[in-house]
Amino acid sequence: MTVIADAFSRDWDLRTAWSLALAVASPFLLTWLVTSLQSQRALAVARQAASGEKRPPTLPSAIPLFGHIFSFLLDRHLFLSKASHYFGPDVPVRVKLATFPAYIVSGKEAVAVYLKDPARCLSLTHRSLNYMKHAFGCPPEVVDAFRPQSDIALENEIHTALQNMLSGPRLEVLAGRYQEFVVHQVQESDKNIGDNWVVLPDLCAFMEKRVFEGAVRAVFGTQLVKLNPNIASDFFKFNRRVKNMFMGVPRWLNGTAIRARNTMTDGIKLWQRNAVEHVNIDDIGDDVEWEPYYGSKSTRVRQQLLTKRNIMNESARSAENLGFMWATNANSIPAAIWFLLETLHDPKLEPRVRTRLAAARLPPVNSQSEGKQHLAFDIDKLTNDALLQSIYAETLRLRVAAMIVRQPTIPNFSLSGWHIKESETLSLSTRTEHLDKDFWNAGSESKPHPLDRFWAERFLVYPNDSKSGPLKEPKQKRRPAGVSDDKNDPYFSIDGCTWNWVPYGGGRHLCPGRHFAKREIMLAAAIFLTAYDIELLTDKLPGPDENCFGFGTMPPDGKVPCRIRRRRE
């Protein structure tokens, strides 16, 4: 009887457990079933509708009320990638996130239309104004002053000025000044690093401080760093928390981030007042490309444009300057760090890179300035080297994870026949496109190069190898003008990658600072590889910090210990 009772008890416990599990799972299973049927019905209705009247389907979800937020937070890239492919290529899909409901755009054709925006009906203004207010600290009552104005002539002047700041001759002057100040940081601020090995707990922190201070001196002048000696650490404290402000987390839940932001804007206000006290901006000659109070001409012109738009509020101006500082450093510095780490981590790649850097170095001008002058590069030669460009492009493909967000400015916007309402948001994940296995070359069966792993030669085309280059399906290769005709010499190519390699966005909103960013990344890595011998004290590099997903370049998610010494010629 005892045996029978025990068996009955076990059976009862099992049935109870199954019943409890079913009771707990039922709401989730029911939600998944209902939303799956709804999405399939919506897709079927859309396919019968006329072009321009089709409404995108919603991705099924299993969690009532909360939608997809937990799946997104668990693995952002995996969620967006699966969502993008759920209904097939080029079909926008609606996802429900707590603070970010949006239609996800993916697929080569849809991405091309989205970024080209031929009808000029997609705007980033609403999102940009939110960033100015929540992330960079612009007072709410002033933020609308940054909205495009009805004065077409003034808007055209602003657009032209912004384009001219970061292209042509002014770009090369700014890049040269950037090189000069980063070299100065390396040569003058590290007196304790000499001929003997020194162990550093984190190469990333060592590099980011020196590059940031050099970049700030080049763009904003020497006074900003002089007035704020802790600006590098303050900036990266702010940068680690800025995503919460971008996402609109309430102030009462976000005190640490707000304090870090306020530290930055207070320092920038101090710099603004100091510049006004010491120099009349309108008295500085138009031919002056750099001076210590405002720094580069691009910064000076931006201050004058703020005045033309009647943006005189001190906090609003500091918010704009912080936004520009963030844009010119938050993505390029982590990318430069990845460039350096990947080079040092590969014992076969490092000597090849050093050879290319040596070929791009400038000779010393004279014996008195030999040390400083010799640590300088022909920037054009450096940034046009095939191997170095391939490393640069692969770094951005693998490490940039931005969400490119737009909103329609008309009631009935059509994205390749799909109807999006004026109040709705469209988003494109660059990481989804950068890891598209149907597009990118992932090597061969005998020599695989997975898309989630760094491959320095992914963007190199070997004329005698039809399987080389970035594309999975090779197309007719076009040798760029000025490239050697030697069939054994590889050349760099992103031909055919316009709508899949999108670290800078694309179309009419293509990042205007992309040319300067390329020079920042390649110069910083080149200077550190030339100035120092560096040996990593770890066999495995850290992964990217997924907490930064959606906001640009994901930095390493851990420290990288190394030993370092001055490089001997």
Side-chain angles (χ1 to χ4, degrees):
M1 291 294 292
T2 303
V3 173
I4 295 173
D6 288 345
F8 181 79
S9 177
R10 286 195 299 272
D11 185 54
W12 177 261
D13 290 343
L14 185 61
R15 281 184 293 169
T16 301
W18 275 106
S19 298
L20 182 60
L22 184 61
V24 171
S26 290
F28 303 102
L29 293 172
L30 184 60
T31 301
W32 176 261
L33 179 61
V34 170
T35 56
S36 294
L37 291 173
Q38 289 174 335
S39 65
Q40 291 300 326
R41 181 177 181 277
L43 184 62
V45 170
R47 284 175 171 160
Q48 298 298 318
S51 179
E53 297 180 3
K54 300 184 293 182
R55 288 289 286 159
T58 298
L59 186 71
S61 63
I63 304 178
L65 302 178
F66 291 97
H68 308 103
I69 184 63
F70 295 113
S71 298
F72 175 75
L73 293 176
L74 187 64
D75 190 323
R76 295 164 176 81
H77 165 63
L78 182 63
F79 169 77
L80 291 172
S81 180
K82 286 185 174 180
S84 299
H85 295 95
Y86 190 84
F87 296 107
D90 301 308
V91 177
V93 56
R94 185 172 184 265
V95 297
K96 298 177 180 178
L97 305 179
T99 60
F100 195 59
Y103 291 93
I104 305 301
V105 178
S106 187
K108 189 172 183 178
E109 291 183 11
V111 170
V113 172
Y114 178 62
L115 293 178
K116 285 180 181 177
D117 185 20
R120 295 178 173 266
C121 294
L122 290 173
S123 171
L124 47 71
T125 299
H126 177 74
R127 186 69 51 177
S128 298
L129 295 181
N130 275 342
Y131 291 167
M132 283 294 295
K133 179 170 63 176
H134 296 301
F136 302 126
C138 182
E141 66 274 13
V142 187
V143 73
D144 270 351
F146 289 95
R147 191 181 297 276
Q149 306 295 310
S150 57
D151 186 339
I152 302 301
L154 176 58
E155 289 303 309
N156 287 339
E157 180 184 352
I158 292 170
H159 177 77
T160 301
L162 292 174
Q163 292 294 329
N164 289 342
M165 284 180 206
L166 298 169
S167 62
R170 192 168 296 166
L171 167 67
E172 302 310 331
V173 172
L174 182 58
R177 188 68 67 169
Y178 169 84
Q179 175 175 220
E180 176 186 331
F181 279 114
V182 174
V183 166
H184 174 82
Q185 288 301 107
V186 166
Q187 291 180 329
E188 301 298 329
S189 65
D190 299 320
K191 300 294 188 181
N192 61 322
I193 298 178
D195 294 336
N196 297 320
W197 289 107
V198 175
V199 174
L200 297 178
D202 185 17
L203 176 60
C204 303
F206 177 81
M207 184 177 183
E208 71 181 11
K209 180 182 188 299
R210 285 145 186 82
V211 175
F212 176 79
E213 290 190 357
V216 168
R217 285 180 166 91
V219 176
F220 291 92
T222 52
Q223 292 295 306
L224 182 51
V225 179
K226 184 177 180 180
L227 293 166
N228 300 278
N230 296 320
I231 191 169
S233 60
D234 291 339
F235 176 83
F236 288 105
K237 285 178 186 175
F238 161 74
N239 190 47
R240 283 192 294 272
R241 297 168 175 86
V242 73
K243 60 182 181 295
N244 293 336
M245 291 182 281
F246 277 148
M247 295 177 70
V249 175
R251 292 179 64 93
W252 61 276
L253 288 174
N254 209 20
T256 303
I258 299 296
R259 286 191 294 274
R261 191 269 314 286
N262 290 346
T263 298
M264 286 300 302
T265 52
D266 287 347
I268 290 173
K269 290 174 186 176
L270 185 63
W271 164 74
Q272 291 173 174
R273 296 180 203 131
N274 180 72
V276 171
E277 289 171 5
H278 285 86
V279 65
N280 184 336
I281 193 170
D282 295 322
D283 289 342
I284 302 172
D286 192 58
D287 59 336
V288 176
E289 291 292 341
W290 188 93
E291 47 77 40
Y293 292 98
Y294 287 102
S296 67
K297 186 174 181 179
S298 61
T299 298
R300 199 165 72 244
V301 169
R302 283 184 21 261
Q303 310 312 303
Q304 292 171 317
L305 290 174
L306 289 172
T307 301
K308 281 194 172 186
R309 296 188 76 158
N310 201 32
I311 300 174
M312 305 303 294
N313 181 281
E314 182 184 51
S315 295
R317 294 175 80 103
S318 69
E320 197 276 343
N321 282 309
L322 176 58
F324 192 77
M325 183 184 294
W326 184 85
T328 53
N329 290 283
N331 294 299
S332 60
I333 293 178
I337 290 171
W338 280 118
F339 191 120
L340 178 68
L341 293 180
E342 296 289 2
T343 300
L344 294 170
H345 190 246
D346 186 339
K348 293 182 179 179
L349 179 61
E350 182 181 353
R352 295 176 63 197
V353 169
R354 290 194 183 280
T355 299
R356 304 315 307 151
L357 296 180
R361 286 180 70 176
L362 293 171
V365 175
N366 54 58
S367 58
Q368 284 76 24
S369 59
E370 183 173 351
K372 291 186 179 181
Q373 287 294 331
H374 193 49
L375 189 52
F377 296 89
D378 180 325
I379 297 175
D380 184 65
K381 191 171 184 178
L382 179 79
T383 56
N384 283 287
D385 180 86
L387 175 61
L388 301 181
Q389 286 192 95
S390 183
I391 295 172
Y392 155 79
E394 176 71 348
T395 296
L396 298 193
R397 184 199 67 81
L398 187 58
R399 303 307 183 191
V400 172
M403 296 296 292
I404 301 174
V405 181
R406 304 281 186 269
Q407 287 184 313
T409 57
I410 58 174
N412 298 301
F413 175 74
S414 175
L415 180 71
S416 298
W418 294 94
H419 172 214
I420 310 296
K421 297 178 182 178
E422 186 174 4
S423 60
E424 295 174 327
T425 300
L426 288 156
S427 293
L428 164 68
S429 168
T430 63
R431 192 152 174 82
T432 298
E433 307 311 313
H434 289 170
L435 297 179
D436 184 354
K437 60 182 177 58
D438 295 323
F439 178 84
W440 294 101
N441 181 0
S444 62
E445 288 187 12
S446 60
K447 292 184 178 180
H449 295 285
L451 297 179
D452 61 351
R453 297 289 183 269
F454 181 84
W455 180 23
E457 296 197 358
R458 201 178 303 271
F459 290 85
L460 288 184
V461 176
Y462 287 83
N464 55 0
D465 182 359
S466 63
K467 298 294 185 180
S468 64
L471 307 182
K472 181 177 182 178
E473 299 295 335
K475 57 186 288 188
Q476 184 67 35
K477 305 292 196 307
R478 295 183 300 168
R479 183 180 289 272
V483 171
S484 167
D485 290 329
D486 190 331
K487 292 186 177 180
N488 295 316
D489 286 348
Y491 59 89
F492 169 75
S493 176
I494 53 172
D495 189 27
C497 302
T498 304
W499 309 116
N500 283 80
W501 190 76
V502 286
Y504 298 112
R508 70 188 187 94
H509 292 297
L510 186 63
C511 175
R514 63 194 181 280
H515 301 302
F516 182 54
K518 179 180 181 180
R519 285 155 176 77
E520 284 184 290
I521 294 165
M522 297 179 75
L523 277 167
I527 290 166
F528 273 73
L529 283 165
T530 305
Y532 301 114
D533 284 321
I534 305 172
E535 293 183 4
L536 302 183
L537 298 179
T538 178
D539 294 329
K540 185 178 180 181
L541 294 179
D545 185 353
E546 298 284 350
N547 288 321
C548 296
F549 182 97
F551 302 101
T553 308
M554 297 180 291
D557 67 354
K559 295 181 179 180
V560 181
C562 73
R563 63 176 194 157
I564 187 171
R565 68 183 180 188
R566 292 286 172 185
R567 188 166 178 80
R568 299 166 183 168
E569 296 292 345

